[in-house]
Amino acid sequence: MKTLHIVGYKNSGKTTLLERWIGYVKAKGLTVAVLKHHGHGGQIELPSASTDTSRFFDKGADVTLVAGGGSAQLLLNNEPSFEALKALVTYDSPDVLLIEGYKEERGEKVVLIRKDEDWGPLQELEGIQLIIGEVDSSDYPVIRERSDAVQLDSWFADWLNREGHYETI
């Protein structure tokens, strides 16, 4: 399984890039899982309070899973470790795991820079494969325009085809 973290600060374009590359992976006939860190503080948005799932959750169920109509939704009343979350999201052995955030965890990373001061702390991260944004770096490949679809997809295609960077869960 190929695994890549997309990291950067709020509003740097992480979700937009993930959407693009999810579509790219699917167009190649591969399977993809996504793990996202909710870094905005507070709880994540839950389903409507009137659903059975929310009612079970509100009463204290530790785990609630609802399935039907070709999809399933899992709610946990705690936050598992990063490794446990990866195991959950990759239960079906996808070809590619894309991770939004979790910048301090081990793994290959694409770093999105929205303004100069972002680069200072982010350049200390391990596993940087690509920088997207206005940064002068001779240590890593840089794509200056986050809207340059040709360059973004070309780099991602090369990364997908690169040998020796697979992870097992």
Side-chain angles (χ1 to χ4, degrees):
M1 173 179 64
K2 299 282 291 193
T3 301
L4 185 65
H5 294 243
I6 312 301
V7 302
Y9 293 112
K10 188 175 180 179
N11 296 320
S12 61
K14 298 180 302 292
T15 299
T16 301
L17 183 60
L18 271 166
E19 289 173 325
R20 171 168 205 79
W21 285 349
I22 291 165
Y24 186 92
V25 170
K26 294 307 289 180
K28 297 293 181 193
L30 301 171
T31 57
V32 61
V34 177
L35 173 57
K36 177 187 173 33
H37 182 253
H38 176 66
H40 304 294
Q43 279 198 337
I44 58 172
E45 287 184 36
L46 298 174
S48 166
S50 64
T51 64
D52 292 349
T53 303
S54 287
R55 290 170 57 193
F56 302 149
F57 197 72
D58 289 343
K59 288 295 181 186
D62 295 304
V63 179
T64 303
L65 188 140
V66 61
S71 65
Q73 181 181 59
L74 174 68
L75 295 177
L76 305 173
N77 226 342
N78 63 17
E79 186 173 342
S81 69
F82 176 70
E83 291 303 321
L85 290 168
K86 278 179 34 180
L88 279 170
V89 77
T90 59
Y91 76 95
D92 204 19
S93 302
D95 299 308
V96 179
L97 170 60
L98 297 174
I99 301 171
E100 182 175 333
Y102 293 100
K103 62 182 165 274
E104 301 301 328
E105 299 292 342
R106 286 187 60 226
E108 295 185 343
K109 296 177 182 74
V110 171
V111 178
L112 285 93
I113 305 297
R114 59 189 168 142
K115 52 189 176 185
D116 289 340
E117 54 266 23
D118 290 353
W119 181 233
L122 293 175
Q123 67 184 322
E124 303 300 322
L125 297 176
E126 292 183 23
I128 296 174
Q129 303 295 304
L130 174 68
I131 302 165
I132 301 172
E134 293 289 331
V135 170
D136 291 324
S137 173
S138 58
D139 296 329
Y140 310 105
V142 176
I143 298 174
R144 297 198 181 285
E145 287 295 322
R146 72 189 74 241
S147 61
D148 189 337
V150 172
Q151 272 196 311
L152 291 170
D153 290 350
S154 176
W155 182 89
F156 189 64
D158 289 345
W159 177 84
L160 272 177
N161 292 321
R162 196 180 316 155
E163 292 295 323
H165 290 83
Y166 292 90
E167 182 177 341
T168 56
I169 299 284

